[in-house]
């Protein structure tokens, strides 16, 4: 794996955008895998800037998001579809029909998960997958203990995640207890992966994932098995690394 250690999250966003843009320019009908959360926001800001400056075209790009809450409609301001529209899709020249976020309102969520994988296969798979890491080492909604071969499926959210999320919802009964998530096996099929991390609260998980054993106790450690992963992380997220990654 390649590790790029940067000063701050703005530089993290710029470096990751440059990696993605280079590949996008070389391949029309590019397929991007995307994440939500606070970490990729500087990357999305840079992609928007490049698009507005006419340096990056999204008109033939397709996207697939990692995850979505079950039972939260796309119009809800806590849905991942809403997040993606607001923070990226509504601000670039992408065709909305080519943007895919798991359907949390699907009548048959298990059938939807199979269909979502088939849709990714139909377009030839993900060319570049963007990931963030949870402070417990999760990727997408694959919490510690998830199979490293897992596929897109419905997952139960942990008590901790439900508690953390309750601040974003009016009533406790509105807090989602399930999500649709790409599996770790699904993520590992992407051609290239860029993992982003910033903040000291990620330093432990980053060190475990990069320097610990490949283990279900740290889902992000599975990236060690992928031939083309770049970690773009800020100095504070790199503080617990012991090995010399600066080359
Ligand atoms: C979001 C996702 C999650 C986040 C992770 C980090 O689509 O898949 O795994 O990447 O929870 O979240 P932030 O970036 O908010 O720290």
């Amino acid at each position: 794996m390649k590790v790029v250690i940067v000063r701050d999250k703005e530089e993290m966003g710029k470096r990751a955008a440059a990696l993605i843009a280079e590949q996008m320019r070389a391949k029309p009908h590019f397929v991007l895998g995307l994440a939500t959360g606070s970490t990729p926001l500087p990357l999305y800001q840079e992609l928007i800037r490049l698009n507005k400056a006419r340096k990056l075209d999204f008109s033939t790009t397709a996207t697939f998001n990692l995850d979505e809450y079950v039972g939260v409609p796309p119009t809800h301001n806590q849905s991942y579809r809403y997040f993606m529209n607001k923070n990226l899709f509504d601000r670039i020249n992408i065709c909305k029909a080519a943007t895919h976020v798991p359907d949390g309102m699907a009548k048959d969520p298990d059938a939807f998960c199979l269909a979502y994988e088939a849709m990714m296969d139909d377009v030839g798979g993900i060319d570049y997958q963007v990931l963030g890491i949870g402070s417990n080492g999760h990727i997408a909604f694959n919490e510690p203990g998830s199979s490293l071969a897992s596929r897109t499926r419905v997952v139960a959210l942990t008590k901790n995640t439900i508690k953390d999320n309750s601040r974003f919802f009016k009533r406790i009964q509105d807090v989602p207890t399930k999500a649709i998530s790409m599996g770790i096996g699904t993520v590992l099929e992407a051609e290239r992966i860029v993992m982003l991390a910033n903040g000291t609260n990620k330093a432990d998980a980053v060190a475990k994932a990069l320097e610990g054993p490949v283990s279900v106790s740290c889902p992000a450690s599975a990236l060690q098995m992928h031939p083309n992963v770049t970690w773009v992380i800020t100095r504070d997220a790199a503080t617990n690394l012991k090995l010399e990654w600066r080359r």
Side-chain angles (χ1 to χ4, degrees), residues 34-41 44 65-68 80 84 130-136 138-143 181 195-196 198 201-202:
L34 299 173
T36 55
S38 55
T39 313
L41 287 174
Y44 297 158
N65 263 77
L66 289 168
D67 40 18
E68 177 62 285
Y80 287 180
M84 289 310 302
V130 176
L131 291 179
I133 186 170
S135 53
N136 64 358
H138 74 216
I139 50 174
F141 268 119
N142 299 288
E143 298 293 352
S181 176
M195 168 61 102
L196 308 176
N198 74 281
N201 61 323
K202 301 294 175 71

Side-chain angles (χ1 to χ4, degrees), residues 63-243:
T63 65
F64 287 87
N65 263 77
L66 289 168
D67 40 18
E68 177 62 285
Y69 292 124
V70 168
V72 178
T75 46
H76 191 289
N77 64 8
Q78 290 304 319
S79 78
Y80 287 180
R81 162 56 77 180
Y82 184 93
F83 175 100
M84 289 310 302
N85 286 348
K86 179 169 158 236
N87 291 299
L88 186 65
F89 302 149
D90 286 344
R91 300 161 69 186
I92 55 176
N93 72 328
I94 200 162
C95 167
K96 260 304 174 50
T99 67
H100 307 277
V101 179
D103 180 3
M105 300 304 282
K107 284 214 173 66
D108 182 343
D110 293 330
F112 176 83
C113 292
L114 286 175
Y116 199 64
E117 293 248 348
M119 276 193 279
M120 287 188 266
D121 283 348
D122 284 349
V123 293
I126 307 276
D127 292 306
Y128 225 131
Q129 176 68 54
V130 176
L131 291 179
I133 186 170
S135 53
N136 64 358
H138 74 216
I139 50 174
F141 268 119
N142 299 288
E143 298 293 352
S146 303
S147 161
L148 302 187
S150 50
R151 310 298 311 181
T152 303
R153 67 205 184 290
V154 177
V155 294
L157 304 188
T158 60
K159 273 198 189 128
N160 250 345
T161 305
I162 295 171
K163 205 175 120 223
D164 283 355
N165 287 347
S166 60
R167 68 186 191 280
F168 299 120
F169 292 84
K170 269 197 209 117
R171 304 174 311 166
I172 190 78
Q173 59 266 45
D174 295 336
V175 184
T177 56
K178 287 180 184 166
I180 292 175
S181 176
M182 279 192 207
I184 300 173
T186 319
V187 167
L188 291 178
E189 278 172 10
E191 189 68 27
R192 289 185 165 76
I193 295 174
V194 61
M195 168 61 102
L196 308 176
N198 74 281
T200 42
N201 61 323
K202 301 294 175 71
D204 233 26
V206 166
K208 275 199 189 115
L210 278 165
E211 298 178 349
V214 174
S215 159
V216 295
S217 67
C218 179
S221 66
L223 300 183
Q224 293 179 28
M225 301 190 293
H226 192 282
N228 210 335
V229 182
T230 307
W231 288 67
V232 183
I233 59 180
T234 56
R235 273 181 204 153
D236 52 0
T239 44
N240 290 0
L241 292 178
K242 291 190 189 71
L243 304 180

Side-chain angles (χ1 to χ4, degrees), residues 4-6 8-25 30 32-34 39-48 50 56 58 128-132 192-197 230-234:
V4 181
I5 299 172
V6 296
D8 52 26
K9 60 183 182 183
E10 285 69 35
E11 199 186 339
M12 177 189 77
K14 286 202 167 80
R15 291 292 281 269
L19 292 173
I20 293 169
E22 187 189 355
Q23 297 300 321
M24 277 182 67
R25 290 180 188 123
F30 203 77
L32 259 179
L34 299 173
T39 313
L41 287 174
L43 160 66
Y44 297 158
Q45 275 152 20
E46 178 64 6
L47 292 177
I48 293 164
L50 290 172
L56 192 61
F58 287 88
Y128 225 131
Q129 176 68 54
V130 176
L131 291 179
R192 289 185 165 76
I193 295 174
V194 61
M195 168 61 102
L196 308 176
T230 307
W231 288 67
V232 183
I233 59 180
T234 56

